[in-house]
mmCIF file of all heavy atoms in Angstrom:
data_model
loop_
_atom_site.group_PDB
_atom_site.id
_atom_site.type_symbol
_atom_site.label_atom_id
_atom_site.label_comp_id
_atom_site.label_asym_id
_atom_site.label_seq_id
_atom_site.Cartn_x
_atom_site.Cartn_y
_atom_site.Cartn_z
ATOM 1 N N ILE Q 1 -9.305 -2.613 5.891
ATOM 2 C CA ILE Q 1 -8.091 -3.376 5.596
ATOM 3 C C ILE Q 1 -7.205 -2.494 4.677
ATOM 4 O O ILE Q 1 -7.704 -1.972 3.671
ATOM 5 C CB ILE Q 1 -8.358 -4.710 4.908
ATOM 6 C CG1 ILE Q 1 -9.155 -5.620 5.814
ATOM 7 C CG2 ILE Q 1 -7.090 -5.353 4.464
ATOM 8 C CD1 ILE Q 1 -9.523 -6.942 5.265
ATOM 9 N N LEU Q 2 -5.949 -2.396 5.050
ATOM 10 C CA LEU Q 2 -5.005 -1.500 4.316
ATOM 11 C C LEU Q 2 -4.215 -2.471 3.310
ATOM 12 O O LEU Q 2 -3.781 -3.564 3.779
ATOM 13 C CB LEU Q 2 -4.079 -0.770 5.176
ATOM 14 C CG LEU Q 2 -4.658 0.114 6.358
ATOM 15 C CD1 LEU Q 2 -3.590 0.876 6.981
ATOM 16 C CD2 LEU Q 2 -5.852 0.968 5.784
ATOM 17 N N VAL Q 3 -3.970 -2.023 2.099
ATOM 18 C CA VAL Q 3 -3.163 -2.741 1.185
ATOM 19 C C VAL Q 3 -2.049 -1.857 0.675
ATOM 20 O O VAL Q 3 -2.253 -0.783 0.190
ATOM 21 C CB VAL Q 3 -4.033 -3.132 -0.040
ATOM 22 C CG1 VAL Q 3 -3.218 -3.973 -1.056
ATOM 23 C CG2 VAL Q 3 -5.245 -4.017 0.468
ATOM 24 N N HIS Q 4 -0.799 -2.381 0.744
ATOM 25 C CA HIS Q 4 0.417 -1.703 0.401
ATOM 26 C C HIS Q 4 1.240 -2.655 -0.403
ATOM 27 O O HIS Q 4 1.685 -3.696 0.087
ATOM 28 C CB HIS Q 4 1.150 -1.139 1.599
ATOM 29 C CG HIS Q 4 2.482 -0.488 1.239
ATOM 30 N ND1 HIS Q 4 2.524 0.760 0.733
ATOM 31 C CD2 HIS Q 4 3.709 -1.000 1.274
ATOM 32 C CE1 HIS Q 4 3.834 1.025 0.562
ATOM 33 N NE2 HIS Q 4 4.568 0.037 0.822
ATOM 34 N N LEU Q 5 1.551 -2.322 -1.660
ATOM 35 C CA LEU Q 5 2.389 -3.074 -2.559
ATOM 36 C C LEU Q 5 3.661 -2.306 -2.961
ATOM 37 O O LEU Q 5 3.543 -1.166 -3.244
ATOM 38 C CB LEU Q 5 1.656 -3.554 -3.822
ATOM 39 C CG LEU Q 5 0.294 -4.335 -3.583
ATOM 40 C CD1 LEU Q 5 -0.374 -4.626 -4.892
ATOM 41 C CD2 LEU Q 5 0.580 -5.613 -2.767
ATOM 42 N N GLU Q 6 4.756 -3.052 -2.948
ATOM 43 C CA GLU Q 6 6.011 -2.428 -3.500
ATOM 44 C C GLU Q 6 6.102 -2.830 -4.943
ATOM 45 O O GLU Q 6 6.025 -4.010 -5.375
ATOM 46 C CB GLU Q 6 7.200 -2.955 -2.814
ATOM 47 C CG GLU Q 6 7.270 -2.595 -1.288
ATOM 48 C CD GLU Q 6 7.479 -1.176 -1.067
ATOM 49 O OE1 GLU Q 6 8.035 -0.514 -2.019
ATOM 50 O OE2 GLU Q 6 7.195 -0.662 0.080
ATOM 51 N N LEU Q 7 6.140 -1.831 -5.811
ATOM 52 C CA LEU Q 7 6.245 -1.987 -7.278
ATOM 53 C C LEU Q 7 7.661 -1.753 -7.734
ATOM 54 O O LEU Q 7 8.123 -0.625 -7.828
ATOM 55 C CB LEU Q 7 5.255 -1.142 -8.031
ATOM 56 C CG LEU Q 7 3.836 -1.321 -7.638
ATOM 57 C CD1 LEU Q 7 2.969 -0.383 -8.425
ATOM 58 C CD2 LEU Q 7 3.292 -2.736 -7.889
ATOM 59 N N LYS Q 8 8.447 -2.851 -7.999
ATOM 60 C CA LYS Q 8 9.828 -2.764 -8.266
ATOM 61 C C LYS Q 8 10.164 -1.964 -9.604
ATOM 62 O O LYS Q 8 10.896 -1.060 -9.738
ATOM 63 C CB LYS Q 8 10.474 -4.114 -8.268
ATOM 64 C CG LYS Q 8 10.306 -4.843 -6.991
ATOM 65 C CD LYS Q 8 10.827 -6.344 -7.120
ATOM 66 C CE LYS Q 8 10.591 -7.032 -5.780
ATOM 67 N NZ LYS Q 8 11.056 -8.475 -5.900
ATOM 68 N N GLN Q 9 9.436 -2.358 -10.671
ATOM 69 C CA GLN Q 9 9.625 -1.833 -11.971
ATOM 70 C C GLN Q 9 9.299 -0.318 -12.018
ATOM 71 O O GLN Q 9 9.873 0.449 -12.748
ATOM 72 C CB GLN Q 9 8.868 -2.561 -13.081
ATOM 73 C CG GLN Q 9 9.203 -2.145 -14.444
ATOM 74 C CD GLN Q 9 8.660 -3.085 -15.501
ATOM 75 O OE1 GLN Q 9 8.737 -4.280 -15.366
ATOM 76 N NE2 GLN Q 9 8.049 -2.525 -16.557
ATOM 77 N N HIS Q 10 8.264 0.039 -11.343
ATOM 78 C CA HIS Q 10 7.720 1.447 -11.341
ATOM 79 C C HIS Q 10 8.368 2.339 -10.333
ATOM 80 O O HIS Q 10 7.988 3.472 -10.208
ATOM 81 C CB HIS Q 10 6.223 1.432 -11.233
ATOM 82 C CG HIS Q 10 5.469 0.984 -12.515
ATOM 83 N ND1 HIS Q 10 4.544 1.756 -13.071
ATOM 84 C CD2 HIS Q 10 5.585 -0.152 -13.181
ATOM 85 C CE1 HIS Q 10 4.042 1.123 -14.141
ATOM 86 N NE2 HIS Q 10 4.630 -0.018 -14.210
ATOM 87 N N GLY Q 11 9.329 1.767 -9.562
ATOM 88 C CA GLY Q 11 9.991 2.618 -8.624
ATOM 89 C C GLY Q 11 9.094 3.131 -7.581
ATOM 90 O O GLY Q 11 9.151 4.334 -7.173
ATOM 91 N N GLN Q 12 8.059 2.383 -7.115
ATOM 92 C CA GLN Q 12 7.081 2.834 -6.164
ATOM 93 C C GLN Q 12 7.748 3.220 -4.847
ATOM 94 O O GLN Q 12 8.508 2.484 -4.300
ATOM 95 C CB GLN Q 12 6.142 1.607 -5.888
ATOM 96 C CG GLN Q 12 5.016 1.971 -4.905
ATOM 97 C CD GLN Q 12 4.131 3.075 -5.374
ATOM 98 O OE1 GLN Q 12 4.357 4.268 -5.083
ATOM 99 N NE2 GLN Q 12 3.089 2.758 -6.099
ATOM 100 N N ASP Q 13 7.400 4.458 -4.365
ATOM 101 C CA ASP Q 13 8.013 4.954 -3.181
ATOM 102 C C ASP Q 13 7.051 5.416 -2.140
ATOM 103 O O ASP Q 13 7.298 6.232 -1.323
ATOM 104 C CB ASP Q 13 9.028 6.118 -3.519
ATOM 105 C CG ASP Q 13 8.301 7.274 -4.265
ATOM 106 O OD1 ASP Q 13 7.086 7.173 -4.575
ATOM 107 O OD2 ASP Q 13 8.955 8.364 -4.263
ATOM 108 N N GLU Q 14 5.816 4.950 -2.243
ATOM 109 C CA GLU Q 14 4.813 5.239 -1.239
ATOM 110 C C GLU Q 14 5.277 4.662 0.100
ATOM 111 O O GLU Q 14 5.859 3.603 0.223
ATOM 112 C CB GLU Q 14 3.450 4.693 -1.590
ATOM 113 C CG GLU Q 14 2.808 5.209 -2.915
ATOM 114 C CD GLU Q 14 2.479 6.663 -2.853
ATOM 115 O OE1 GLU Q 14 2.733 7.389 -1.816
ATOM 116 O OE2 GLU Q 14 1.850 7.165 -3.847
ATOM 117 N N ASP Q 15 4.902 5.435 1.185
ATOM 118 C CA ASP Q 15 5.366 4.999 2.469
ATOM 119 C C ASP Q 15 4.243 4.414 3.269
ATOM 120 O O ASP Q 15 3.185 4.968 3.429
ATOM 121 C CB ASP Q 15 5.865 6.298 3.230
ATOM 122 C CG ASP Q 15 6.433 6.041 4.588
ATOM 123 O OD1 ASP Q 15 7.032 4.940 4.747
ATOM 124 O OD2 ASP Q 15 6.195 6.768 5.506
ATOM 125 N N LEU Q 16 4.482 3.148 3.778
ATOM 126 C CA LEU Q 16 3.493 2.551 4.506
ATOM 127 C C LEU Q 16 3.105 3.210 5.814
ATOM 128 O O LEU Q 16 1.934 3.307 6.142
ATOM 129 C CB LEU Q 16 3.878 1.009 4.769
ATOM 130 C CG LEU Q 16 2.932 0.180 5.610
ATOM 131 C CD1 LEU Q 16 1.550 0.149 4.957
ATOM 132 C CD2 LEU Q 16 3.471 -1.256 5.785
ATOM 133 N N HIS Q 17 4.135 3.655 6.495
ATOM 134 C CA HIS Q 17 3.875 4.456 7.751
ATOM 135 C C HIS Q 17 2.964 5.562 7.508
ATOM 136 O O HIS Q 17 2.036 5.816 8.285
ATOM 137 C CB HIS Q 17 5.216 4.807 8.413
ATOM 138 C CG HIS Q 17 4.990 5.519 9.633
ATOM 139 N ND1 HIS Q 17 4.370 4.976 10.786
ATOM 140 C CD2 HIS Q 17 5.341 6.822 10.019
ATOM 141 C CE1 HIS Q 17 4.391 5.911 11.797
ATOM 142 N NE2 HIS Q 17 4.940 7.056 11.308
ATOM 143 N N GLU Q 18 3.285 6.368 6.482
ATOM 144 C CA GLU Q 18 2.469 7.538 6.155
ATOM 145 C C GLU Q 18 0.986 7.114 5.832
ATOM 146 O O GLU Q 18 0.045 7.755 6.182
ATOM 147 C CB GLU Q 18 3.124 8.259 5.005
ATOM 148 C CG GLU Q 18 2.364 9.575 4.659
ATOM 149 C CD GLU Q 18 2.990 10.360 3.497
ATOM 150 O OE1 GLU Q 18 3.909 11.176 3.794
ATOM 151 O OE2 GLU Q 18 2.647 10.163 2.355
ATOM 152 N N PHE Q 19 0.864 5.928 5.182
ATOM 153 C CA PHE Q 19 -0.418 5.427 4.817
ATOM 154 C C PHE Q 19 -1.227 5.148 6.059
ATOM 155 O O PHE Q 19 -2.383 5.475 6.150
ATOM 156 C CB PHE Q 19 -0.309 4.258 3.936
ATOM 157 C CG PHE Q 19 -1.583 3.773 3.353
ATOM 158 C CD1 PHE Q 19 -2.569 4.570 2.855
ATOM 159 C CD2 PHE Q 19 -1.893 2.345 3.320
ATOM 160 C CE1 PHE Q 19 -3.748 4.156 2.335
ATOM 161 C CE2 PHE Q 19 -3.042 1.910 2.837
ATOM 162 C CZ PHE Q 19 -4.008 2.781 2.302
ATOM 163 N N GLU Q 20 -0.583 4.563 7.049
ATOM 164 C CA GLU Q 20 -1.265 4.304 8.362
ATOM 165 C C GLU Q 20 -1.678 5.560 9.013
ATOM 166 O O GLU Q 20 -2.666 5.670 9.652
ATOM 167 C CB GLU Q 20 -0.249 3.476 9.266
ATOM 168 C CG GLU Q 20 0.036 2.056 8.776
ATOM 169 C CD GLU Q 20 0.971 1.327 9.616
ATOM 170 O OE1 GLU Q 20 0.514 0.928 10.659
ATOM 171 O OE2 GLU Q 20 2.136 1.152 9.279
ATOM 172 N N LEU Q 21 -0.834 6.636 8.918
ATOM 173 C CA LEU Q 21 -1.118 7.895 9.568
ATOM 174 C C LEU Q 21 -2.334 8.535 8.844
ATOM 175 O O LEU Q 21 -3.190 9.123 9.455
ATOM 176 C CB LEU Q 21 0.128 8.838 9.545
ATOM 177 C CG LEU Q 21 1.251 8.420 10.406
ATOM 178 C CD1 LEU Q 21 2.433 9.361 10.187
ATOM 179 C CD2 LEU Q 21 0.854 8.440 11.830
ATOM 180 N N LEU Q 22 -2.423 8.378 7.535
ATOM 181 C CA LEU Q 22 -3.598 8.867 6.780
ATOM 182 C C LEU Q 22 -4.820 8.190 7.241
ATOM 183 O O LEU Q 22 -5.881 8.803 7.340
ATOM 184 C CB LEU Q 22 -3.385 8.701 5.287
ATOM 185 C CG LEU Q 22 -2.436 9.617 4.511
ATOM 186 C CD1 LEU Q 22 -2.135 9.128 3.122
ATOM 187 C CD2 LEU Q 22 -2.978 11.045 4.528
ATOM 188 N N ALA Q 23 -4.795 6.838 7.369
ATOM 189 C CA ALA Q 23 -5.927 6.079 7.829
ATOM 190 C C ALA Q 23 -6.339 6.504 9.298
ATOM 191 O O ALA Q 23 -7.498 6.656 9.553
ATOM 192 C CB ALA Q 23 -5.606 4.602 7.831
ATOM 193 N N ALA Q 24 -5.336 6.721 10.129
ATOM 194 C CA ALA Q 24 -5.643 7.184 11.506
ATOM 195 C C ALA Q 24 -6.320 8.598 11.452
ATOM 196 O O ALA Q 24 -7.235 8.896 12.187
ATOM 197 C CB ALA Q 24 -4.417 7.219 12.292
ATOM 198 N N SER Q 25 -5.820 9.445 10.570
ATOM 199 C CA SER Q 25 -6.385 10.779 10.417
ATOM 200 C C SER Q 25 -7.860 10.776 9.894
ATOM 201 O O SER Q 25 -8.586 11.657 10.278
ATOM 202 C CB SER Q 25 -5.552 11.618 9.457
ATOM 203 O OG SER Q 25 -5.926 12.984 9.489
ATOM 204 N N ALA Q 26 -8.271 9.679 9.182
ATOM 205 C CA ALA Q 26 -9.602 9.496 8.732
ATOM 206 C C ALA Q 26 -10.448 8.771 9.744
ATOM 207 O O ALA Q 26 -11.607 8.424 9.456
ATOM 208 C CB ALA Q 26 -9.598 8.791 7.465
ATOM 209 N N ASP Q 27 -9.891 8.522 10.922
ATOM 210 C CA ASP Q 27 -10.525 7.802 12.042
ATOM 211 C C ASP Q 27 -11.002 6.385 11.592
ATOM 212 O O ASP Q 27 -12.061 5.973 12.004
ATOM 213 C CB ASP Q 27 -11.765 8.606 12.497
ATOM 214 C CG ASP Q 27 -11.406 9.946 13.061
ATOM 215 O OD1 ASP Q 27 -10.364 10.076 13.699
ATOM 216 O OD2 ASP Q 27 -12.207 10.905 12.867
ATOM 217 N N VAL Q 28 -10.101 5.758 10.833
ATOM 218 C CA VAL Q 28 -10.409 4.399 10.361
ATOM 219 C C VAL Q 28 -9.895 3.456 11.418
ATOM 220 O O VAL Q 28 -8.839 3.519 11.973
ATOM 221 C CB VAL Q 28 -9.693 4.178 9.040
ATOM 222 C CG1 VAL Q 28 -9.739 2.642 8.691
ATOM 223 C CG2 VAL Q 28 -10.363 4.920 7.919
ATOM 224 N N GLN Q 29 -10.725 2.338 11.602
ATOM 225 C CA GLN Q 29 -10.294 1.228 12.462
ATOM 226 C C GLN Q 29 -9.559 0.148 11.618
ATOM 227 O O GLN Q 29 -10.197 -0.515 10.814
ATOM 228 C CB GLN Q 29 -11.451 0.611 13.172
ATOM 229 C CG GLN Q 29 -11.094 -0.573 14.081
ATOM 230 C CD GLN Q 29 -12.385 -1.250 14.617
ATOM 231 O OE1 GLN Q 29 -13.447 -0.760 14.494
ATOM 232 N NE2 GLN Q 29 -12.109 -2.371 15.385
ATOM 233 N N VAL Q 30 -8.226 0.101 11.706
ATOM 234 C CA VAL Q 30 -7.495 -0.808 10.818
ATOM 235 C C VAL Q 30 -7.586 -2.194 11.393
ATOM 236 O O VAL Q 30 -7.053 -2.479 12.534
ATOM 237 C CB VAL Q 30 -6.013 -0.341 10.768
ATOM 238 C CG1 VAL Q 30 -5.212 -1.272 9.850
ATOM 239 C CG2 VAL Q 30 -5.935 1.091 10.128
ATOM 240 N N LEU Q 31 -8.072 -3.098 10.679
ATOM 241 C CA LEU Q 31 -8.201 -4.481 11.016
ATOM 242 C C LEU Q 31 -7.036 -5.296 10.648
ATOM 243 O O LEU Q 31 -6.600 -6.191 11.398
ATOM 244 C CB LEU Q 31 -9.530 -5.123 10.410
ATOM 245 C CG LEU Q 31 -10.817 -4.422 10.654
ATOM 246 C CD1 LEU Q 31 -11.938 -5.144 9.837
ATOM 247 C CD2 LEU Q 31 -11.160 -4.391 12.124
ATOM 248 N N SER Q 32 -6.473 -5.095 9.521
ATOM 249 C CA SER Q 32 -5.306 -5.789 9.048
ATOM 250 C C SER Q 32 -4.585 -4.992 7.947
ATOM 251 O O SER Q 32 -5.130 -4.115 7.372
ATOM 252 C CB SER Q 32 -5.705 -7.121 8.466
ATOM 253 O OG SER Q 32 -4.652 -7.873 7.989
ATOM 254 N N ILE Q 33 -3.276 -5.292 7.753
ATOM 255 C CA ILE Q 33 -2.425 -4.640 6.757
ATOM 256 C C ILE Q 33 -1.969 -5.699 5.827
ATOM 257 O O ILE Q 33 -1.196 -6.647 6.281
ATOM 258 C CB ILE Q 33 -1.337 -3.816 7.331
ATOM 259 C CG1 ILE Q 33 -1.870 -2.709 8.299
ATOM 260 C CG2 ILE Q 33 -0.472 -3.159 6.234
ATOM 261 C CD1 ILE Q 33 -0.808 -1.900 8.934
ATOM 262 N N VAL Q 34 -2.231 -5.627 4.512
ATOM 263 C CA VAL Q 34 -1.763 -6.616 3.501
ATOM 264 C C VAL Q 34 -0.619 -5.994 2.733
ATOM 265 O O VAL Q 34 -0.784 -4.969 2.179
ATOM 266 C CB VAL Q 34 -2.955 -7.080 2.610
ATOM 267 C CG1 VAL Q 34 -2.431 -8.016 1.576
ATOM 268 C CG2 VAL Q 34 -4.046 -7.637 3.425
ATOM 269 N N THR Q 35 0.491 -6.682 2.740
ATOM 270 C CA THR Q 35 1.674 -6.163 2.032
ATOM 271 C C THR Q 35 2.069 -7.178 0.864
ATOM 272 O O THR Q 35 1.626 -8.352 1.005
ATOM 273 C CB THR Q 35 2.780 -5.826 2.886
ATOM 274 O OG1 THR Q 35 3.160 -7.047 3.563
ATOM 275 C CG2 THR Q 35 2.466 -4.782 3.923
ATOM 276 N N GLY Q 36 2.801 -6.753 -0.049
ATOM 277 C CA GLY Q 36 3.318 -7.629 -1.103
ATOM 278 C C GLY Q 36 4.153 -6.848 -2.057
ATOM 279 O O GLY Q 36 4.469 -5.691 -1.834
ATOM 280 N N SER Q 37 4.618 -7.497 -3.060
ATOM 281 C CA SER Q 37 5.431 -6.820 -4.111
ATOM 282 C C SER Q 37 5.147 -7.366 -5.458
ATOM 283 O O SER Q 37 4.734 -8.654 -5.597
ATOM 284 C CB SER Q 37 6.955 -7.071 -3.781
ATOM 285 O OG SER Q 37 7.264 -8.391 -3.805
ATOM 286 N N ARG Q 38 5.289 -6.565 -6.456
ATOM 287 C CA ARG Q 38 5.048 -6.917 -7.870
ATOM 288 C C ARG Q 38 5.973 -6.090 -8.721
ATOM 289 O O ARG Q 38 6.565 -5.130 -8.312
ATOM 290 C CB ARG Q 38 3.600 -6.567 -8.285
ATOM 291 C CG ARG Q 38 2.527 -7.378 -7.615
ATOM 292 C CD ARG Q 38 1.132 -6.970 -8.208
ATOM 293 N NE ARG Q 38 1.094 -7.108 -9.628
ATOM 294 C CZ ARG Q 38 0.688 -8.301 -10.215
ATOM 295 N NH1 ARG Q 38 0.363 -9.343 -9.485
ATOM 296 N NH2 ARG Q 38 0.613 -8.296 -11.542
ATOM 297 N N GLN Q 39 6.199 -6.709 -9.928
ATOM 298 C CA GLN Q 39 7.028 -5.981 -10.863
ATOM 299 C C GLN Q 39 6.307 -4.777 -11.439
ATOM 300 O O GLN Q 39 6.890 -3.745 -11.570
ATOM 301 C CB GLN Q 39 7.453 -6.910 -12.040
ATOM 302 C CG GLN Q 39 8.509 -7.955 -11.686
ATOM 303 C CD GLN Q 39 9.836 -7.375 -11.323
ATOM 304 O OE1 GLN Q 39 10.304 -6.364 -11.932
ATOM 305 N NE2 GLN Q 39 10.482 -7.935 -10.321
ATOM 306 N N ARG Q 40 5.031 -4.940 -11.660
ATOM 307 C CA ARG Q 40 4.158 -3.889 -12.274
ATOM 308 C C ARG Q 40 2.744 -4.115 -11.785
ATOM 309 O O ARG Q 40 2.355 -5.190 -11.421
ATOM 310 C CB ARG Q 40 4.235 -3.870 -13.772
ATOM 311 C CG ARG Q 40 3.690 -5.093 -14.462
ATOM 312 C CD ARG Q 40 3.818 -5.073 -15.915
ATOM 313 N NE ARG Q 40 5.289 -5.107 -16.367
ATOM 314 C CZ ARG Q 40 5.954 -6.217 -16.517
ATOM 315 N NH1 ARG Q 40 5.416 -7.408 -16.330
ATOM 316 N NH2 ARG Q 40 7.164 -6.175 -16.873
ATOM 317 N N PRO Q 41 1.892 -3.034 -11.764
ATOM 318 C CA PRO Q 41 0.483 -3.261 -11.424
ATOM 319 C C PRO Q 41 -0.232 -4.173 -12.394
ATOM 320 O O PRO Q 41 0.044 -4.147 -13.595
ATOM 321 C CB PRO Q 41 -0.052 -1.806 -11.458
ATOM 322 C CG PRO Q 41 1.068 -0.900 -11.436
ATOM 323 C CD PRO Q 41 2.231 -1.586 -12.124
ATOM 324 N N ASP Q 42 -1.216 -4.921 -11.878
ATOM 325 C CA ASP Q 42 -2.077 -5.765 -12.757
ATOM 326 C C ASP Q 42 -3.097 -4.844 -13.383
ATOM 327 O O ASP Q 42 -3.651 -3.948 -12.682
ATOM 328 C CB ASP Q 42 -2.776 -6.784 -11.915
ATOM 329 C CG ASP Q 42 -3.687 -7.684 -12.717
ATOM 330 O OD1 ASP Q 42 -3.184 -8.528 -13.357
ATOM 331 O OD2 ASP Q 42 -4.925 -7.410 -12.707
ATOM 332 N N ALA Q 43 -3.261 -4.966 -14.680
ATOM 333 C CA ALA Q 43 -4.161 -4.069 -15.439
ATOM 334 C C ALA Q 43 -5.598 -4.191 -14.947
ATOM 335 O O ALA Q 43 -6.212 -3.124 -14.912
ATOM 336 C CB ALA Q 43 -4.075 -4.446 -16.935
ATOM 337 N N ARG Q 44 -6.022 -5.276 -14.512
ATOM 338 C CA ARG Q 44 -7.437 -5.509 -14.120
ATOM 339 C C ARG Q 44 -7.634 -5.212 -12.637
ATOM 340 O O ARG Q 44 -8.666 -4.569 -12.249
ATOM 341 C CB ARG Q 44 -7.895 -6.871 -14.482
ATOM 342 C CG ARG Q 44 -9.323 -7.132 -14.146
ATOM 343 C CD ARG Q 44 -9.830 -8.501 -14.700
ATOM 344 N NE ARG Q 44 -11.153 -8.826 -14.222
ATOM 345 C CZ ARG Q 44 -11.420 -9.489 -13.134
ATOM 346 N NH1 ARG Q 44 -10.400 -9.950 -12.386
ATOM 347 N NH2 ARG Q 44 -12.637 -9.740 -12.776
#
C-alpha cells in the first residue's frame, strides 16, 4: 500500500507519480494508494 501526504506548512513537493514509478521499479504489487493532506507531520 502506498501512502502519499501533501504537507502544506512544510512545502512538501514529493511527486506521487514518481513514487509509483519507484514502486514499479522495485517490482512491488500496488494494492491501493492512500492520499491526504496535513499542515505538518505527526510527531509519533
